[in-house]
Structure formats: C-alpha cells, structure tokens
Amino acid sequence: MARIRDVWVNWFEGEENGYNICHFHEWRSEDKIEVLDIAEVVKVTERLYEQLENSLETIPQQLLDAVYRKSALRKNMSKLPLDYCFIATTGTATLVVDTLGYETPIRKSRLTPRQEKLAIEAVEQSEEPARGEEGEPIEKEYHILSPHPQYMQGLTRKERQLKQLLFMIIDQLDTSGQEAEIRYWYTEWAPDKYMEIQMITGEEALLQLYNEVSVGWSDDHYHLCEAMAKGQPFFEKIWDMQHESEMHK
C-alpha cells in the first residue's frame, strides 16, 4: 500500500449520503480542519467506494486489518495513531475515512485537489490491486430524511442543508400536523391552487407538497423553509446556524 503526508481533513460525521461530505471548494472558515501527519492510501473497487461514501455499513475486516494504525493525526507537534483511518480511491475518486475505532465509516472527508492528485498517483505507482468486491452497484433506499441525490444535484452546501431542514419540517408535519395546518402550508407554497387544496385530504396535500418542493431550490423554497421553521425552537436553531455559517464564509 501507499502513504501520503500532511493531509488536510474536514470531517463530516455520521453521514450516509456522499452529497453531505463537502468538497474542498465548499469548506468554510469555521469548519474544524485537522491534519493527518501520514495517511494510508488504499485502492478500492467502485462498489466498495460507493459503500464507504454512501452508507454506514461495516467495512470489510480484511481492509480494517490492513490499515490498522498506519495513519496518524498531527496534534501539538506529536503524532496520534488512528486505529482505522485511510484514504480510499478508485483511481479517479477519493475519500478519507475514519472509524473512530469502530468498524463503520463514521467520519468522512474529501481531500484538497492537490492531495487528491497525490493519493491517486501513490496507488498507481504501487500497482496494488483494488480491494473489495466487484459487481452491481449497491441498492440503497432513500426517504424524506435521507433524500435521493437527484434532489440535491446542482445545489450549494447551504441550499442542500436548508432543503434537508425543509424535509425535516415536512416530515414532522406528517406525524403531528392537522389537516388544516397541512393545507395552510401547501397553500403558502402554491397559492394558485387554493381551491384544489381545499378539495383533497391532508395526506394528499402533504404528498403533493413534498413532491413539488423536492424539485430544485428557489426563493420560494427559501421563504417556505423560513416560515415553517419560525416558532419551532429546534428548527429555528438549525436555520440560524446555517445563516451564521454563511456569514463566516
């Protein structure tokens, strides 16, 4: 296997969707950037890479054994070995993974463009075979709290985060909202459909609202999310955090 040094990492923890692991150009000044003094680079199959990037499934034991304590975090002029931390690459895409000592990819990070190039070159020079199984892509179930990547395509980091907040609020509305409340919010989103909305059930209104807000991101999405979050402390806090993050970019 190969190794590279001085690797900047921006950990995203507990993420099961690759679109939430932000690329370098979306990193923010308030993100906590760490430096790996040394990082093991492993060539993996497309299938294993997809598993690491888009799930929290158990990592094959053979891979865990191969990378055990071969990467280290730089901390206060010293090296802190990490049990299961490594850079996975297919030869085109790369991802840094750390399990925090467990057997699942709990923390994930992208690389800077320069370090991504170095990682790919390192495995090419080592000529190591790709680890993991070949075969069909892994089938994954998506839902309102884990949206399909197509709903996030082309959105900025802030837009993705606000859209997921909007989905969270709609999901809560599904479990706790009254029909009148559901109709109210759907009418706020689509005032031209007022008469139609009065003729359908709350369940139908909620489903149509979800299907319509799933497409893209616009000022209408933004204002609906802001209005629905208002007065709900948990959601208001998330809303405020996104705006504070944007101010510090």
Side-chain angles (χ1 to χ4, degrees):
M1 283 188 283
R3 296 182 183 182
I4 61 174
R5 293 186 173 275
D6 302 322
V7 179
W8 291 11
V9 287
N10 182 15
W11 296 121
F12 291 84
E13 191 165 326
E15 295 293 353
E16 61 175 353
N17 291 304
Y19 54 74
N20 285 329
I21 310 163
C22 295
H23 288 272
F24 177 67
H25 70 273
E26 289 191 316
W27 291 6
R28 295 172 177 165
S29 58
E30 75 271 18
D31 289 341
K32 186 179 179 182
I33 309 301
E34 296 184 333
V35 179
L36 299 178
D37 186 81
I38 191 166
E40 194 79 0
V41 187
V42 185
K43 189 170 186 181
V44 298
T45 61
E46 296 278 354
R47 191 171 189 273
L48 180 53
Y49 184 88
E50 183 183 348
Q51 175 187 322
L52 294 170
E53 184 181 41
N54 291 297
S55 81
L56 296 173
E57 293 182 17
T58 301
I59 299 171
Q61 189 62 48
Q62 185 182 26
L63 175 53
L64 293 175
D65 292 342
V67 301
Y68 182 67
R69 295 211 147 205
K70 290 184 178 178
S71 298
L73 179 70
R74 183 181 300 163
K75 193 168 186 179
N76 299 327
M77 303 302 291
S78 61
K79 298 179 185 179
L80 178 64
L82 301 173
D83 286 350
Y84 303 116
C85 177
F86 58 96
I87 299 172
T89 179
T90 61
T92 54
T94 61
L95 183 74
V96 192
V97 172
D98 181 30
T99 72
L100 293 178
Y102 298 98
E103 299 179 350
T104 57
I106 295 177
R107 301 198 299 181
K108 307 173 190 180
S109 174
R110 303 295 180 185
L111 290 171
T112 68
R114 178 179 176 276
Q115 290 163 332
E116 184 171 37
K117 183 173 182 290
L118 290 174
I120 293 171
E121 289 175 349
V123 292
E124 286 176 347
Q125 292 171 7
S126 70
E127 297 183 351
E128 112 178 56
R131 293 175 177 270
E133 297 178 4
E134 302 288 353
E136 296 297 320
I138 298 169
E139 291 293 329
K140 178 176 177 179
E141 292 186 8
Y142 294 97
H143 50 80
I144 190 169
L145 298 181
S146 180
H148 194 283
Q150 71 185 32
Y151 298 145
M152 300 298 173
Q153 190 172 2
L155 305 189
T156 66
R157 177 175 177 178
K158 179 183 176 182
E159 290 168 348
R160 292 194 304 272
Q161 291 171 329
L162 289 180
K163 191 166 188 178
Q164 288 179 94
L165 172 60
L166 180 57
F167 285 152
M168 289 168 63
I169 299 172
I170 291 174
D171 181 63
Q172 186 196 58
L173 191 62
D174 184 28
T175 57
S176 62
Q178 302 296 320
E179 284 206 1
E181 185 180 8
I182 293 170
R183 287 197 182 96
Y184 171 81
W185 287 118
Y186 189 18
T187 303
E188 284 290 296
W189 168 257
D192 57 314
K193 294 184 178 180
Y194 174 78
M195 292 305 298
E196 175 188 332
I197 293 169
Q198 301 310 306
M199 303 297 291
I200 59 178
T201 66
E203 183 178 353
E204 290 171 328
L206 193 70
L207 179 60
Q208 289 186 34
L209 174 61
Y210 170 69
N211 287 338
E212 290 174 22
V213 301
S214 293
V215 180
W217 184 261
S218 65
D219 287 344
D220 288 340
H221 286 82
Y222 179 92
H223 294 308
L224 179 68
C225 185
E226 181 180 27
M228 294 185 78
K230 190 173 182 179
Q232 302 193 65
F234 175 70
F235 295 134
E236 273 192 332
K237 183 177 181 181
I238 298 175
W239 173 269
D240 291 341
M241 285 172 60
Q242 296 309 322
H243 283 270
E244 288 172 8
S245 295
E246 193 70 10
M247 290 173 63
H248 285 92
K249 280 183 64 176

